[in-house]
Amino acid sequence: MANISKEEVKHVAKLARLAITEEESEKFAGQLGAIIQFAEQLNELDASDVKPTTHALHMVNVLREDEPKEGLDRELMMKNVKEHEAGQVKVPSILE
């Protein structure tokens, strides 16, 4: 088992702003040691032929293709605009 001291656990708890008791620090030291020991076992595996992945599951884009479509008719749209100038919608200024 990897050696994680109670003092290291208390230090990490302090950094995370967690209040833990003496019993909890002892318990967490053992649990964290077991986790680190398990992670070290993974280093023993030969993963040279394993391709790197960005996701555990094969993901497929389910969105539709981006195809150009006819937009709004400018003359019809401008009928609903309060103010316009040179064929463009005039909006209030937000920067002063």
Side-chain angles (χ1 to χ4, degrees), residues 19-52:
I20 61 172
T21 64
E22 188 69 29
E23 294 79 28
E24 288 173 327
S25 66
E26 191 171 321
K27 175 183 170 185
F28 295 152
Q31 291 176 346
L32 288 171
I35 291 169
I36 292 172
Q37 182 183 15
F38 178 74
E40 287 173 351
Q41 287 178 358
L42 296 176
N43 290 333
E44 298 172 8
L45 297 175
D46 178 26
S48 59
D49 60 339
V50 178
K51 295 179 183 176

Side-chain angles (χ1 to χ4, degrees), residues 26-89:
E26 191 171 321
K27 175 183 170 185
F28 295 152
Q31 291 176 346
L32 288 171
I35 291 169
I36 292 172
Q37 182 183 15
F38 178 74
E40 287 173 351
Q41 287 178 358
L42 296 176
N43 290 333
E44 298 172 8
L45 297 175
D46 178 26
S48 59
D49 60 339
V50 178
K51 295 179 183 176
T53 60
T54 57
H55 201 278
L57 302 175
H58 178 67
M59 303 296 287
V60 178
N61 188 357
V62 295
L63 302 176
R64 64 174 170 77
E65 290 295 320
D66 188 15
E67 300 172 356
K69 293 186 179 181
E70 193 68 32
L72 295 174
D73 179 55
R74 182 178 296 273
E75 296 302 319
L76 182 61
M77 192 254 326
M78 287 296 189
K79 289 181 181 179
N80 293 317
V81 174
K82 287 184 180 183
E83 292 186 60
H84 56 87
E85 185 177 304
Q88 298 181 355
V89 178

